[in-house]
Amino acid sequence: GIVREAVVSTQSTGLKEMKREYKKVNIDKIQDLQDDLQDMMEDANEIQEIMGQQYGMPDVDDAELEAELDALGDTMFDDDMSYLDEASEVPTTIPGSSGREEPAASQLDEFGLPALS
């Protein structure tokens, strides 16, 4: 039928177009490009390997390193941390003042801090 003829005609036209386009393709150029890409990837891998070398460092097992880190984390907070208590104390006076007198409202700036003279 008509549909079958249309399908065959379309396939024939498609085949002719593909043949014409493939004549423009230079297989050697594509192969050269692929070879260049392969060479670049090999160079990049070689650079990565060189950059990843360890000098004078023993090989460390990741699981062993993780266990050591966990052990450090467990003992890190066992120490006396009383030195943090004094850091939490907030001064109640302005540095350099006796702390006895409050500045008058007219002596405060727009942020409620003592105005600089």
Side-chain angles (χ1 to χ4, degrees):
I2 295 174
V3 174
R4 192 175 315 168
E5 288 175 19
V7 169
V8 171
S9 174
T10 302
Q11 287 176 337
S12 177
T13 303
L15 181 60
K16 288 176 188 173
E17 288 297 318
M18 284 179 64
K19 284 181 180 180
R20 187 170 58 188
E21 290 300 316
Y22 274 120
K23 286 181 184 176
K24 297 177 187 177
V25 174
N26 184 341
I27 300 294
D28 292 332
K29 204 176 207 181
I30 293 173
Q31 186 61 49
D32 290 344
L33 179 63
Q34 290 295 321
D35 290 344
D36 288 346
L37 286 171
Q38 182 65 36
D39 289 344
M40 281 181 49
M41 290 303 295
E42 288 172 3
D43 290 346
N45 288 338
E46 187 176 351
I47 290 169
Q48 280 296 109
E49 189 175 315
I50 291 169
M51 296 298 288
Q53 289 179 354
Q54 297 179 358
Y55 299 99
M57 297 292 293
D59 287 337
V60 179
D61 180 31
D62 287 342
E64 182 181 324
L65 188 60
E66 188 69 33
E68 188 174 333
L69 185 60
D70 287 342
L72 283 174
D74 291 343
T75 61
M76 183 182 289
F77 299 108
D78 292 344
D79 296 339
D80 178 29
M81 296 193 323
S82 61
Y83 64 90
L84 293 176
D85 294 342
E86 97 181 39
S88 65
E89 295 175 7
V90 178
T92 56
T93 61
I94 298 170
S97 73
S98 64
R100 294 187 187 129
E101 57 188 67
E102 288 291 318
S106 62
Q107 296 174 336
L108 300 178
D109 66 10
E110 67 270 19
F111 302 109
L113 299 173
L116 298 174
S117 15

